[in-house]
Amino acid sequence: MTSIGGAASTGMVDWNLAVATATRLVRPGPEVSRDEARAIVAELRRHAKASEEHVRGFTRMGEDVVHDTPVLVVDRPGWVRANVAGFREILKPLLDKMQERRGSSPGGAVLGAVGGKVTGVELGMLLSFLSSRVLGQYETFAPATRDLPAGSATASGSGGGRLLLVAPNIVHVERELDVQPHDFRLWVCLHEETHRTQFTAVPWLRDHLEGEIQSFLGETEVDPMTVLERIREAAQSLSGSRPDTEEDDGGRSLVEIVQTPAQREILGRLTAVMSLLEGHADFVMDGVGPAVVPSVAEIREKFQQRRAKGASRLDLALRKLLGLDAKLRQYRDGERFVRAVVDEVGMDGFNRVWTSPNTLPTKAEIAKPADWVARVHRKSES
């Protein structure tokens, strides 16, 4: 197994152990022959390429931008490795801070080594669970590794992005929904390509988002054990060892436990941005879909039903703990915002949202699109 970036076994999380655990526990994908697998990978690559033109033409974004962010068709272990690399980069300032705090306490070094392995195992359990559910992902903060290329470094020196398409999960869902496979694969690619277009056509967006995340993490003063305990609870949910009486726990997610007043402000801005990005991708999928995906109406209806109901009781508990229920609301609220703004001021009027961080919608404006239109358009016209 390849080490995830140097001394990955040190610190608050044993990242190599997380990868090894997730890879060992990951569920096998749907059965396909070797020839079928090759054909699926080739088709996803073709759809990803075609989606680039479809999305740029519909959104009028990035039509003259040349980007080098790669499209990677991966299996479930490949998704795990990519996400561990991304997590490790974005969480490094927080984990270094937690490590320093623990190291100054009696026996901190020994506890850190043991805790890092425990957390590595538990993070691996969570990643193995999530690896069977993600269809595609634009990895915004992806560092390049030997096995996982990424786009060129940004102005801040961080790695560029990459687009991941998780082939076994796409095949699993298209079979589960009983939809036309070629249409479904293109439909998924349209959503993920929209995210790639957002970040490649809007040069400041990635650094702005990373700055907000780092500000959020920088405000964290919670005891390291509290964060690790939340990861442990999520892992216990997976194994079925968490008592039923503890399942709800007041509805707190991993994010919600580390909020200071300053963090709540930052989280409000992050929620608004993520709602915009996810809602925009859904809007584009629906806008492009009828012209290039013949069965888009059936796919959308079945997928929405699947997204809304989730799966088992375990799924619902984990979604709450990990904050994934908030992500579902982001799709719905963000899509409603984008649709309302485009209806009122057209696509070019909506695209003013990408002008600067000051033109991004606030959390309140996501719920009241007319307020965003009034602020951005009337101010610019006065």
Side-chain angles (χ1 to χ4, degrees):
M1 181 186 68
T2 302
S3 173
I4 304 295
S9 61
T10 62
M12 298 296 295
V13 181
D14 188 329
W15 297 105
N16 283 341
L17 189 55
V19 172
T21 301
T23 303
R24 186 175 70 251
L25 296 177
V26 72
R27 300 175 184 178
E31 289 188 14
V32 294
S33 69
R34 188 179 296 272
D35 287 344
E36 283 179 304
R38 287 198 189 100
I40 290 165
V41 169
E43 183 177 19
L44 287 172
R45 291 188 186 283
R46 288 196 304 272
H47 284 331
K49 182 64 177 175
S51 294
E52 185 176 334
E53 182 177 347
H54 294 318
V55 169
R56 291 185 176 204
F58 181 79
T59 63
R60 303 174 197 167
M61 294 174 64
E63 293 173 289
D64 300 323
V65 175
V66 177
H67 61 71
D68 63 349
T69 50
V71 176
L72 306 180
V73 182
V74 297
D75 57 10
R76 290 168 178 174
W79 179 87
V80 168
R81 289 193 297 273
N83 275 267
V84 164
F87 287 159
R88 191 159 186 250
E89 177 159 303
I90 200 69
L91 292 176
K92 186 177 186 302
L94 173 64
L95 295 178
D96 285 350
K97 182 178 180 180
M98 293 167 66
Q99 179 73 14
E100 182 180 347
R101 179 178 294 184
R102 170 170 279 184
S104 64
S105 62
V110 174
L111 286 173
V114 174
K117 292 190 178 300
V118 171
T119 307
V121 169
E122 290 168 345
L123 180 60
M125 292 173 67
L126 285 177
L127 288 169
S128 72
F129 174 83
L130 295 171
S131 70
S132 64
R133 283 156 173 75
V134 176
L135 301 182
Q137 173 185 1
Y138 182 73
E139 266 208 301
T140 316
F141 308 108
T145 67
R146 186 178 66 185
D147 302 323
L148 294 162
S152 300
T154 64
S156 65
S158 303
R162 56 180 165 236
L163 181 61
L164 305 179
L165 297 168
V166 191
N169 297 349
I170 293 172
V171 173
H172 171 78
V173 174
E174 71 193 24
R175 291 179 179 178
E176 178 187 319
L177 297 181
D178 190 25
V179 292
Q180 215 286 333
H182 304 296
D183 286 2
F184 184 74
R185 294 166 194 174
L186 176 55
W187 189 73
V188 170
C189 288
L190 288 170
H191 182 101
E192 303 309 331
E193 176 58 38
T194 302
H195 287 316
R196 182 162 72 153
T197 297
Q198 289 162 348
F199 283 94
T200 55
V202 185
W204 53 264
L205 183 58
R206 183 198 181 281
D207 287 343
H208 171 72
L209 195 58
E210 182 177 21
E212 292 280 58
I213 292 171
Q214 293 303 339
S215 295
F216 180 88
L217 296 177
E219 288 286 330
T220 300
E221 295 296 340
V222 71
D223 180 80
M225 290 308 298
T226 306
V227 176
L228 302 186
E229 182 61 28
R230 301 306 289 181
I231 297 175
R232 184 165 297 116
E233 289 172 9
Q236 288 171 349
S237 290
L238 281 176
S239 65
S241 61
R242 192 173 178 207
D244 287 345
T245 55
E246 296 181 10
E247 180 182 317
D248 188 85
D249 194 27
R252 293 185 303 165
S253 71
L254 277 167
V255 170
E256 290 169 332
I257 62 157
V258 294
Q259 287 184 61
T260 64
Q263 282 179 313
R264 280 192 287 274
E265 284 188 25
I266 299 167
L267 188 62
R269 295 196 298 269
L270 281 170
T271 299
V273 174
M274 298 311 297
S275 296
L276 171 69
L277 299 179
E278 296 295 355
H280 184 234
D282 268 11
F283 176 79
V284 172
M285 253 193 332
D286 288 348
V288 175
V292 298
V293 182
S295 60
V296 65
E298 177 193 2
I299 291 172
R300 184 70 156 141
E301 181 181 0
K302 289 183 174 180
F303 194 79
Q304 285 288 70
Q305 291 172 355
R306 180 182 187 272
R307 182 189 275 174
K309 75 179 183 181
S312 63
R313 179 168 167 267
L314 171 61
D315 239 358
L316 295 174
L318 272 167
R319 279 187 358 193
K320 177 175 287 187
L321 187 61
L322 297 174
L324 299 181
D325 52 344
K327 187 175 178 66
L328 297 179
R329 290 194 297 274
Q330 287 169 5
Y331 284 108
R332 183 184 66 244
D333 298 344
E335 195 272 342
R336 197 158 46 215
F337 170 84
V338 176
R339 187 171 301 281
V341 172
V342 172
D343 284 348
E344 185 166 346
V345 296
M347 185 65 74
D348 290 336
F350 166 78
N351 280 341
R352 290 193 189 179
V353 79
W354 312 116
T355 305
S356 75
N358 293 330
T359 56
L360 291 172
T362 64
K363 190 176 179 181
E365 288 170 341
I366 288 287
K368 294 183 177 180
D371 289 355
W372 179 86
V373 172
R375 176 172 67 87
V376 173
H377 282 263
R378 291 177 191 167
K379 181 179 179 181
S380 65
E381 291 164 3
S382 60

